[in-house]
């Protein structure tokens, strides 16, 4: 779903937030996009954001109260780079108990571009908390996916537009390349 808002992701104060791009989650059967497709788009977006001097936040989850995390619980190779903000969450969303809000505000961030896995879990939960914190929110529809295509379509078409703008990855790549 593409909206008419010009220059998605452009302007100061914008950060890209990549949710749960971990091997064990990327490998799940997801729809409408595979985890590998989502990870590849997210990495292209991250490179463009970094090239434009914008913050990139890589978020991953750890299960609380376990001695050892399951295999594949780190970031997919290449997602988190030196200089990125790296967040380890222990809940569905990226804000609770992580210090993410304070780090973003310290950088002057007031707009978040959200992507990653899973649309109706980590991405949606993070979006709701970001809205509660007063951030402007944008979503990259084809850089996220869900457990079922209809879940993804409902979130992208009905829920996310209530919180912010929805764009495709190509729109961000064009806007950032044009700067």
């Amino acid at each position: 779903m593409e909206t008419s808002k010009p220059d998605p992701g452009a302007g100061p104060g914008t950060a890209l937030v990549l949710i749960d791009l971990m091997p064990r989650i990327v490998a799940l059967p997801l729809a409408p996009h595979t985890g590998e497709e989502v990870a590849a788009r997210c990495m292209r977006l991250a490179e463009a954001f970094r090239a434009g001097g914008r913050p990139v936040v890589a978020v991953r989850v750890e299960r609380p109260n376990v001695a050892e995390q399951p295999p594949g619980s780190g970031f997919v190779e290449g997602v988190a780079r030196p200089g990125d903000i790296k967040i380890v969450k222990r809940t569905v969303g990226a804000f609770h108990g992580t210090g993410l809000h304070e780090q973003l505000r310290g950088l002057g961030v007031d707009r978040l571009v959200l992507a990653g896995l899973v649309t109706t879990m980590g991405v949606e939960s993070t979006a709701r908390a970001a809205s509660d914190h007063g951030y402007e929110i944008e979503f990259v529809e084809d850089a996220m996916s869900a457990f079922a295509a209809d879940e993804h379509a409902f979130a992208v078409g009905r829920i996310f537009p209530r919180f912010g703008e929805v764009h495709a990855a190509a729109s961000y790549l064009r806007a950032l390349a044009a700067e």
Side-chain angles (χ1 to χ4, degrees):
M1 166 180 276
E2 187 72 18
T3 64
S4 60
K5 184 178 178 184
D7 299 328
T14 303
L16 175 66
V17 180
L18 304 175
I19 307 293
D20 292 340
L21 294 174
M22 304 159 52
R24 69 180 172 86
I25 296 176
V26 168
L28 293 171
L30 301 169
H33 313 288
T34 68
E36 292 82 10
E37 291 168 336
V38 169
R41 285 185 190 109
C42 286
M43 285 192 256
R44 284 194 299 274
L45 287 165
E47 287 303 317
F49 270 71
R50 290 180 194 111
R54 288 178 181 77
V56 173
V57 179
V59 179
R60 67 180 182 84
V61 65
E62 284 189 355
R63 294 179 181 170
N65 306 315
V66 297
E68 187 174 317
Q69 296 300 311
S73 291
F75 291 114
V76 167
E77 187 174 332
V79 167
R81 298 276 174 90
D84 291 349
I85 297 171
K86 294 159 196 84
I87 297 294
V88 177
K89 62 184 177 124
R90 289 171 179 79
T91 60
V92 178
F95 281 94
H96 180 75
T98 65
L100 177 57
H101 174 63
E102 294 75 15
Q103 290 186 64
L104 292 170
R105 288 300 194 216
L107 295 173
V109 171
D110 58 10
R111 179 173 30 177
L112 303 180
V113 176
L114 300 179
L117 300 170
V118 170
T119 306
T120 55
M121 296 290 293
V123 176
E124 186 172 334
S125 182
T126 299
R128 290 174 183 274
S131 178
D132 289 345
H133 283 295
Y135 291 95
E136 291 181 46
I137 306 168
E138 296 183 10
F139 301 89
V140 191
E141 181 278 330
D142 56 348
M144 61 180 75
S145 200
F147 295 118
D150 61 336
E151 290 178 4
H152 176 82
F154 184 80
V156 167
R158 301 292 297 271
I159 303 298
F160 291 170
R162 295 174 185 204
F163 290 96
E165 301 290 329
V166 178
H167 298 280
S171 297
Y172 289 94
L173 297 173
R174 280 192 305 270
L176 292 167
E179 293 183 345

